[in-house]
Amino acid sequence: MPPPAPGSNGDPVAERWASLPEDLIRLVSWRVLAGDLLDYIRFRSVCGSWRSATASPRGTGVVDPRFHPRRWMMLPEGHGLHPGHPHLRGYIRFLNLDTGKLVRAHLPLFSDHRVVDSVDGLLVLLRDQDSAVRLVHPFTGDIAELPPLATVLSQLGILLDSVPAPHRIKRLAESICASVSFSNGAMIVMLALHEVYHIAFATTLDQQWTLSSWNYQLGSPAPVSFQGKLYLACYVLFCGVIEIFQIDPPVKDEVGSGCVLHPPKLIATVPDGNLIMTVHLVECDSEILVLGYKDMTRSQIAVFKLTDLIMQRCIPITSIGGNTLFITERGISVAPSALPTHMEDNVVCLEPEEDNLVQYHLISSTWSPASDDCSLFGPAPGPCSLIHLIYSCCIRNR
């Protein structure tokens, strides 16, 4: 009689599951991974045969994009408990924006690192002692080492001369948008340095960041990362047109001695009369949405698909798959199952007069409070509900 399959403990039913063909196990595992990384990790833990037949995310969590925790967001603790606070004992909470699941991960790096951005669920950290940029997978602990951010300072010329030298790295780090792409097995990271409107790029093999020879439009909103590229919206003065630009990852130059980062390319326009600045770009259900107020009354919000605008179809949509969009300095899309109250096809933003969160229902074109009357900026500022916690993640200095 053959020995029982690993992990079956002699149970006939468990043994049949554990002895499934390896190609079938791998097929099912990739289907599970397409849903959520943590479900894939749980799938591998069922038994030894399932674990041995499937690829481990540990060790490749950063360099293999299949294992990126895309819909997981680091969630503030509130109550002044910043990441790295001694009372948290090295643990950080993460929220799944599709399911609402909460998990805690042990990340002791926060004792001497700060978060400057998140891309595809990976944390972009800045080490305090030397400004080294590190890409960290929160669930596998994998780290990709990148050059110190200080290596761009000598390339900035006079752009930060008004900032005292000891504070220049901190100023740059306050507004960064990162993107990650892969080419021929190499990982390329772009950092949109919104303080100076330039892009820096590097790989894990580089000793320093390379700064773009060009800058993007001054005064435009911070770029948005999507599928390894950066996107930004710019307002054309005096004609009311909104232009959408795409920044592709750097490519090998013609002589093969290095990489070159081409300037932003215009991919779409929003004709006059459809949106006013500020325009927001938000990733939602694997595509980019373009949204903002329709006119100066700020009584209505219009949402467009970037794919429609590229095809020169300027048709607003009223359904966003039941999701809720949180918009301010950056945008976040949250599925209805992740929110504590019934919220579908809404846009949550700050009511400028009262400093309270309000929601705009796209289908009915109506406004209502997004939660209770607590304020992010009042006498006792700070998040006091999940809605406020998520919204505070859209504000970089919070």
Side-chain angles (χ1 to χ4, degrees):
M1 178 180 295
S8 66
N9 298 319
D11 182 351
V13 175
E15 187 169 343
R16 284 197 296 272
W17 281 105
S19 60
L20 289 173
E22 288 193 0
D23 56 348
L24 179 59
I25 294 173
R26 280 192 290 271
L27 176 62
V28 174
S29 72
W30 295 133
R31 297 286 182 89
V32 173
L33 180 59
D36 178 44
L37 172 67
L38 293 191
D39 287 340
Y40 175 81
I41 293 174
R42 297 184 188 100
F43 178 90
R44 295 188 72 246
S45 68
V46 168
C47 62
S49 60
W50 288 20
R51 186 162 50 253
S52 62
T54 52
S56 173
R58 192 174 298 276
T60 58
V62 173
V63 298
D64 190 336
R66 296 176 300 177
F67 298 132
H68 291 177
R70 285 178 175 79
R71 293 293 287 164
W72 287 92
M73 180 187 75
M74 191 175 79
L75 193 68
E77 294 286 340
H79 310 292
L81 297 178
H82 57 81
H85 193 286
H87 290 175
L88 300 178
R89 294 177 295 177
Y91 284 93
I92 304 293
R93 288 191 304 175
F94 290 84
L95 172 72
N96 188 296
L97 297 175
D98 286 333
T99 65
K101 292 179 181 177
L102 279 168
V103 300
R104 289 202 313 161
H106 191 243
L107 294 170
L109 285 172
F110 282 98
S111 61
D112 60 353
H113 289 67
R114 74 185 76 173
V115 182
V116 295
D117 197 24
S118 174
V119 53
D120 294 341
L122 304 175
L123 301 178
V124 184
L125 302 186
L126 192 69
R127 189 161 56 198
D128 295 335
Q129 65 188 47
D130 58 1
S131 78
V133 179
R134 313 179 84 189
L135 216 55
V136 179
H137 195 298
F139 303 136
T140 67
D142 295 324
I143 299 176
E145 304 282 356
L146 292 156
L149 187 60
T151 58
V152 305
L153 293 179
S154 61
Q155 306 172 57
L156 290 174
I158 63 171
L159 291 177
L160 285 180
D161 279 4
S162 62
V163 180
H167 303 297
R168 290 174 184 172
I169 292 297
K170 181 180 179 181
R171 178 68 67 85
L172 280 179
E174 286 177 350
S175 185
I176 284 179
C177 176
S179 74
V180 177
S181 60
F182 297 85
S183 176
N184 298 322
M187 182 177 68
I188 303 172
V189 177
M190 291 193 294
L191 300 180
L193 306 175
H194 197 55
E195 180 67 25
V196 293
Y197 298 95
H198 277 265
I199 309 295
F201 65 90
T203 72
T204 53
L205 301 178
D206 292 328
Q207 298 299 311
Q208 69 173 27
W209 292 91
T210 299
L211 196 70
S212 61
S213 59
W214 43 265
N215 63 274
Y216 55 91
Q217 181 174 309
L218 303 181
S220 61
V224 169
S225 174
F226 178 66
Q227 296 182 351
K229 302 175 183 179
L230 293 170
Y231 295 82
L232 65 150
C234 300
Y235 182 73
V236 182
L237 291 175
F238 309 120
C239 66
V241 173
I242 308 294
E243 295 181 331
I244 312 297
F245 291 87
Q246 175 181 302
I247 303 174
D248 294 325
V251 295
K252 289 285 186 181
D253 60 19
E254 294 181 357
V255 296
S257 59
C259 289
V260 59
L261 186 65
H262 292 298
K265 61 182 180 183
L266 178 64
I267 59 171
T269 60
V270 184
D272 183 26
N274 289 279
L275 290 175
I276 63 170
M277 288 298 278
T278 301
V279 170
H280 302 272
L281 306 180
V282 184
E283 179 183 354
C284 180
D285 287 343
S286 300
E287 66 178 330
I288 291 183
L289 301 180
V290 181
L291 67 151
Y293 291 109
K294 294 181 66 173
D295 52 46
M296 295 303 294
T297 66
R298 298 179 182 266
S299 61
Q300 290 182 301
I301 290 177
V303 181
F304 302 87
K305 291 183 178 181
L306 179 57
T307 51
D308 286 343
L309 296 175
I310 292 174
M311 299 298 293
Q312 299 183 347
R313 294 195 298 260
C314 189
I315 305 172
I317 60 174
T318 56
S319 173
I320 51 176
N323 296 293
T324 292
L325 306 180
F326 291 74
I327 58 168
T328 177
E329 295 174 13
R330 62 190 301 179
I332 296 176
S333 168
V334 184
S337 55
L339 295 172
T341 57
H342 182 74
M343 299 175 66
E344 293 187 0
D345 298 304
N346 284 305
V347 178
V348 173
C349 58
L350 192 67
E351 201 286 316
E353 299 296 330
E354 302 294 336
D355 286 341
N356 290 326
L357 292 183
V358 290
Q359 59 184 348
Y360 179 79
H361 190 234
L362 292 169
I363 297 175
S364 63
S365 301
T366 57
W367 292 90
S368 62
S371 60
D372 55 33
D373 59 357
C374 86
S375 171
L376 289 174
F377 309 108
C384 57
S385 71
L386 181 60
I387 301 299
H388 284 79
L389 284 167
I390 294 174
Y391 188 81
S392 68
C393 292
C394 301
I395 306 173
R396 293 183 183 275
N397 67 356
R398 291 183 175 267

